[in-house]
Amino acid sequence: RTETMEEAMTKANIRFDEIVYETKYNDSIIILYTTNNTLSAGQLRRNLLGYKWVLGSGSDHFAEEDDATWSITNFTPEPNSPNNISIAKGVVHNPAIQQMTLHFENEDVAATFIPYGGVRIWYAFSKAPIPGMPDVTMVYEDGTVKSGWYD
């Protein structure tokens, strides 16, 4: 029996420093966690026996020079499945970024920001599997709007 998410991760031999964030999505618990100065995403389920690790993926480095980093994880990539769980995530290094909108194939999704250790972690769920690098629009505090990840 695994009483905590941390126990389930340890039982599945997942190395981690801390769970930074958790949210329920479809029939799973999606977590963002750190390991050796990187950010990863994980999927767990909970039943009468406790938590069970399903899948994990990462990693975004906290020490990058770019304004923001990105990575994607398709936990259950069945097209049009009500249980699809696809997430884009990363780290915002530039404090002037006020908003990010991810442009997935059939939807635009505003990123959710989570303050963490002097930077912000961001994430956005997609209703469909994410096939590769999503387009992004970033809005800076001075009103500048930038499309794309890199200058």
Side-chain angles (χ1 to χ4, degrees):
R1 183 167 171 89
T2 53
E3 298 290 334
T4 67
M5 291 183 281
E6 291 86 352
E7 285 179 21
M9 293 172 75
T10 300
K11 187 174 180 178
N13 294 316
I14 305 301
R15 291 187 320 218
F16 66 98
D17 296 326
E18 78 177 299
I19 295 173
V20 175
Y21 186 77
E22 68 178 85
T23 188
K24 290 184 181 179
Y25 192 80
N26 290 335
D27 59 350
S28 293
I29 299 165
I30 304 301
I31 62 168
L32 300 176
Y33 64 98
T34 61
T35 307
N36 296 326
N37 208 31
T38 61
L39 175 69
S40 298
Q43 178 184 19
L44 297 104
R45 292 209 171 96
R46 187 173 185 182
N47 60 28
L48 295 174
L49 298 177
Y51 291 94
K52 180 178 186 311
W53 179 260
V54 178
L55 182 66
S57 176
S59 300
D60 293 284
H61 293 273
F62 286 100
E64 292 285 330
E65 302 271 332
D66 295 315
D67 282 358
T69 63
W70 68 274
S71 65
I72 58 172
T73 303
N74 293 300
F75 287 112
T76 52
E78 297 87 12
N80 302 315
S81 167
N83 294 323
N84 181 69
I85 302 173
S86 295
I87 188 172
K89 63 169 178 57
V91 179
V92 176
H93 297 104
N94 187 333
I97 294 174
Q98 297 297 302
Q99 297 175 1
M100 290 174 62
T101 301
L102 285 294
H103 308 288
F104 299 122
E105 284 187 23
N106 296 313
E107 64 182 325
D108 294 338
V109 179
T112 299
F113 291 106
I114 304 159
Y116 179 77
V119 297
R120 287 171 291 158
I121 294 168
W122 69 268
Y123 74 90
F125 285 107
S126 173
K127 292 179 184 170
I130 306 169
M133 179 173 57
D135 290 331
V136 66
T137 302
M138 295 182 233
V139 179
Y140 292 75
E141 63 188 0
D142 67 0
T144 301
V145 177
K146 177 180 158 189
S147 293
W149 292 101
Y150 310 106
D151 292 329

